[in-house]
Amino acid sequence: MLRFAKILGMDDIKRLADDIYRERIIRARRTSSAEKLMEGPRLFDAVCERMKAGIRAQAPDADEDEVQQLLLQHIRRLRNVEEHAVYTPLECCDDGR
């Protein structure tokens, strides 16, 4: 990175980064609502594939079912961490409601 920075100069890199950011904003504004809505599931699928690749690297002998189970366990663990203290159990009423 430093060699690259010396060749271009820090001002050039800042300008390039700003141009890339600006282009991403313009592209996002042009994207239809339907396309934006579909991006969530696409991103989730891509992340799951990366997570499964990591699981396979850690457990090379695991078959596809085991990889899938480990993925689900990992997602549940992440969800529990994310939701920690967000939801609290309700006190049960005496009449069973």
Side-chain angles (χ1 to χ4, degrees), residues 45-76:
D45 288 344
V47 168
C48 285
E49 288 305 315
R50 287 189 195 108
M51 289 170 65
K52 288 199 288 190
I55 290 168
R56 286 187 195 99
Q58 291 177 347
D61 296 332
D63 63 22
E64 256 330 284
D65 288 339
E66 290 172 308
V67 169
Q68 188 67 25
Q69 288 304 312
L70 290 168
L71 173 67
L72 292 174
Q73 288 174 10
H74 189 70
I75 291 171
R76 281 189 204 106

Side-chain angles (χ1 to χ4, degrees), residues 11 14 21 33-34 36 39 42 53-54 56 58 61-62 65 67 72 79 84 88 90 93-94:
D11 290 337
K14 171 102 171 83
Y21 180 73
S33 296
K36 288 176 186 174
E39 195 59 24
R42 284 187 202 124
R56 286 187 195 99
Q58 291 177 347
D61 296 332
D65 288 339
V67 169
L72 292 174
R79 185 174 184 183
H84 178 71
T88 55
L90 291 174
C93 301
D94 288 336

Side-chain angles (χ1 to χ4, degrees), residues 7-24:
I7 294 170
L8 283 180
M10 293 307 284
D11 290 337
D12 294 329
I13 292 174
K14 171 102 171 83
R15 247 182 266 117
L16 180 60
D18 289 345
D19 289 345
I20 291 170
Y21 180 73
R22 192 176 305 104
E23 182 58 35
R24 289 179 73 195

Side-chain angles (χ1 to χ4, degrees), residues 79-89:
R79 185 174 184 183
N80 287 339
V81 167
E82 184 177 295
E83 292 179 351
H84 178 71
V86 172
Y87 300 107
T88 55

